[in-house]
Amino acid sequence: MRIHRHLAVWAVGVIALAACGERQTVRGADGETVQIASGSAAKAQNVDLPAFLPIYPGGRIESTVGGVSSGATGSQKGGMVVFHVGEAPDKVADFYRSRLDGSGLGERSDANLNGVLMLTAASAEDADRGVQVSVAPADEGGSRVTLVYSQGGA
């Protein structure tokens, strides 16, 4: 799965910041801008998910990361959303499989990694356009879902 490399760095680097329960903006030297929000701030943050990748019905957003980066291939936008839903992981994964079927993203993979269902889809024509859906059993029941997306040109 080819998710824009800046987005992957942001997602790893800001997880700890997102745990603060507030909204922050981080600007990189190369023009990258990342919005980080968690808790009540995450619920209010405008999440710019691709149309085919909605929050699962009844999902409770826990944290969001979103931004725009620029590099050798131009500007890309993307982000990450983490949320909890009361449905079983298999049911949630089936919902996202059907959404990915209609996404136009042809490069697909589906894996079960120790009970975490990982669905990925990418564009063969645009290496900066793709998604990753992770669905894990939540400690409190239901599922914890992480959506990571890169939409190519901003």
Side-chain angles (χ1 to χ4, degrees), residues 83-90 92 115 135-145:
F83 62 93
H84 178 266
V85 64
E87 301 289 345
D90 287 337
V92 176
V135 185
D139 292 340
E140 64 273 24
S143 302
R144 176 146 293 101
V145 182

Side-chain angles (χ1 to χ4, degrees), residues 122-146:
S123 169
E125 297 80 32
D126 183 355
D128 292 322
R129 186 170 171 257
V131 299
Q132 178 178 341
V133 179
S134 302
V135 185
D139 292 340
E140 64 273 24
S143 302
R144 176 146 293 101
V145 182
T146 303

Side-chain angles (χ1 to χ4, degrees), residues 1-9 11 50 52-53 77-80 100 103-111 113 117-134 146-152:
M1 172 65 194
R2 297 173 296 179
I3 296 289
H4 191 270
R5 70 178 173 81
H6 290 298
L7 180 59
V9 171
F52 65 86
L53 194 72
K77 64 180 176 177
M80 178 179 74
L100 293 178
S103 70
L105 299 173
E107 296 181 4
R108 298 270 304 271
S109 69
D110 195 324
L113 305 170
L117 304 173
M118 302 286 293
L119 314 173
T120 61
S123 169
E125 297 80 32
D126 183 355
D128 292 322
R129 186 170 171 257
V131 299
Q132 178 178 341
V133 179
S134 302
T146 303
L147 306 176
V148 178
Y149 58 98
S150 178
Q151 298 189 64

Side-chain angles (χ1 to χ4, degrees), residues 14 29 33 35-36 55 64 70 72 74-75 82 90 95 99 122 124 128 132:
V14 300
T33 302
Q35 296 284 327
I36 307 162
I55 300 294
T64 63
S70 58
S75 254
V82 179
D90 287 337
F95 172 84
R99 296 310 218 146
D128 292 322
Q132 178 178 341

